[in-house]
Amino acid sequence: DRALKGDETSNYELEFRTATNQIRYLLVNATTRRDAESNIVGVVSVAQDVTETTKHDRAVKSMAQELRQLVDKANAPIFGIDMHGNVNEWNDKTAEITGYRKDEAMSKPLVSTFIVPKLRDSVQGVLDKALKGCETSNYDLEFRTKSNEIRHLLVNATTRRDPESNVVGVVGVAQDVTEAVERDVAVRSMARELRQLVDTANAPIFGIDVHGNVNEWNDKTSEITGFNREEAFTKPLVSTFIVPKLRQSVQDVLDRALKGDETSNYELEFRTKSNETRYLLVNATTRRDANNRVVGVVGVAQDVTEATKHDRAVASMARELRQLVDTANAPIFGIDIDGHVNEWNDKTAEITGFSKEEALNKPLISTFIVSNLRQSVQDVLDRALKGDETSNYELEFRTKTNEVRYLLVNATTR
């Protein structure tokens, strides 16, 4: 209509429908047509078929929209800067992680606004290199959020170029590794704490590698043995620190632990630097790496030297007392709470003619006491079983040959 009024149009895009119902895109100049008297008699169009170009442009535009949507909605933080270091890319995930919306971040200097002070110089260096075409992968970045928290990002800093391949900025595609970093920090802190607990524990803790050489030796082990850590480390545990008579059995315990068969409360005799012996009650536990492979054995021990020495002294005294009882020049005999013989020394056997084997577990009264005294002797024993002891009681024993032996007895509660 305008062309028919003399108002011509250039480069108007027209969509023609073909006989096969396809669309062809034409770029048209609509020119007014006039007769010899300059009267308008119609319109003539000179066109250029731009179908392929238009389809290509629309495909590129669609792809750009799709890529923009992918960037904006990506599950990874994506941000970028221009040549001056100012933010020109800030996707939804970056906004979520940092707490800054896109409109708050855009055009702000990235480094001074969002990077923690201690890393600003190094981050600036990475960005400067990327602006020169030298890209960086897996760079650990600490972002400061709007709430002043720290988020740890693992970033690939990629050079951004225009269609002519001129550098126009840097884009960073990141992975939020905050949880992993915090977990690693916690694990390292726990490892340091456990190391301190092991080193300063009030119990001796020592360990070996798979070859039997010492690789754990805490302060208490050093104190007990007299060998410091430097002297003990990498030495073969068994041949260096274990007394000869126990080396084979200790080696067996360690070998089993290296196969996953652990041992509890195993008594170990350690040889100290001053050639004394210390007695340790040890739990031999299999040591494994992060992949559950056996890498050694750790022993957590209790120093029972004093208790062992005391027990051995008591056992020695008990043996000595047993010998005194058995070989005493006076008859000594005893009963349990049921009245059966449980003590019968050599002198009693000699006097009565009954050996210890013949007397033990027999009822004392009915077997060895003459009939007329059985009740009174029973009364004496019953009182003694209640804690009421009797001294110098005259007893008549019947011997194996049916003779009577007269004994002056002290009945003592056991």
Side-chain angles (χ1 to χ4, degrees), residues 33 36 62 66 86 98 106 128 130 146 203 212 251 277 345 404:
R33 198 171 195 177
S62 174
E66 187 177 354
N86 298 323
T98 63
M106 293 294 271
D128 288 345
K146 196 171 185 178
Q251 188 65 59
T277 298
N345 77 339
V404 174

Side-chain angles (χ1 to χ4, degrees), residues 141-298:
L141 199 64
E142 295 181 23
F143 251 75
R144 187 176 60 194
T145 70
K146 196 171 185 178
S147 57
N148 215 29
E149 295 177 291
I150 301 296
R151 302 296 295 185
H152 298 270
L153 304 181
L154 204 60
V155 180
N156 286 357
T158 306
T159 305
R160 201 171 198 174
R161 299 175 184 272
D162 65 13
E164 285 74 43
S165 203
N166 299 311
V167 175
V168 293
V170 178
V171 65
V173 180
Q175 179 184 358
D176 184 4
V177 293
T178 303
E179 305 307 321
V181 169
E182 289 178 348
R183 187 169 58 249
D184 289 346
V185 169
V187 167
R188 285 196 297 271
S189 175
M190 186 184 296
R192 286 194 299 268
E193 186 177 355
L194 288 174
R195 167 50 51 200
Q196 185 177 21
L197 284 173
V198 167
D199 286 343
T200 61
N202 200 33
I205 300 174
F206 53 92
I208 60 165
D209 59 24
V210 292
H211 305 294
N213 298 323
V214 173
N215 61 1
E216 188 71 69
W217 195 266
N218 77 339
D219 297 346
K220 194 67 177 179
T221 309
S222 295
E223 176 190 327
I224 287 172
T225 64
F227 293 99
N228 62 38
R229 183 174 296 175
E230 291 71 27
E231 292 174 306
F233 257 54
T234 72
K235 299 290 193 307
L237 177 75
V238 173
S239 61
T240 309
F241 303 105
I242 305 302
V243 296
K245 66 179 180 179
L246 289 183
R247 284 176 186 168
Q248 187 56 54
S249 62
V250 172
Q251 188 65 59
D252 291 343
V253 167
L254 296 177
D255 287 345
R256 288 200 303 272
L258 285 169
K259 295 174 182 174
D261 183 11
E262 301 176 343
T263 300
S264 298
N265 295 326
Y266 179 76
E267 190 173 284
L268 202 62
E269 295 182 23
F270 250 75
R271 187 176 60 194
T272 70
K273 197 171 186 177
S274 57
N275 215 29
E276 296 177 291
T277 298
R278 302 295 294 184
Y279 299 92
L280 303 181
L281 204 59
V282 180
N283 285 356
T285 305
T286 306
R287 200 171 197 173
R288 299 176 185 271
D289 64 13
N291 299 314
N292 207 34
R293 291 189 296 258
V294 174
V295 293
V297 178
V298 64

Side-chain angles (χ1 to χ4, degrees), residues 14-70:
L14 199 63
E15 295 182 19
F16 252 76
R17 189 175 59 194
T18 70
T20 57
N21 213 30
Q22 293 178 299
I23 301 295
R24 301 296 294 182
Y25 298 93
L26 304 180
L27 202 61
V28 179
N29 288 353
T31 306
T32 305
R33 198 171 195 177
R34 297 174 187 272
D35 62 14
E37 285 77 33
S38 201
N39 298 310
I40 295 173
V41 295
V43 177
V44 64
S45 296
V46 180
Q48 179 185 358
D49 185 359
V50 292
T51 302
E52 301 309 317
T53 302
T54 300
K55 286 182 177 178
H56 174 266
D57 289 346
R58 291 190 176 190
V60 169
K61 185 178 179 181
S62 174
M63 186 183 297
Q65 288 169 341
E66 187 177 354
L67 288 174
R68 167 50 50 198
Q69 188 177 22
L70 285 173

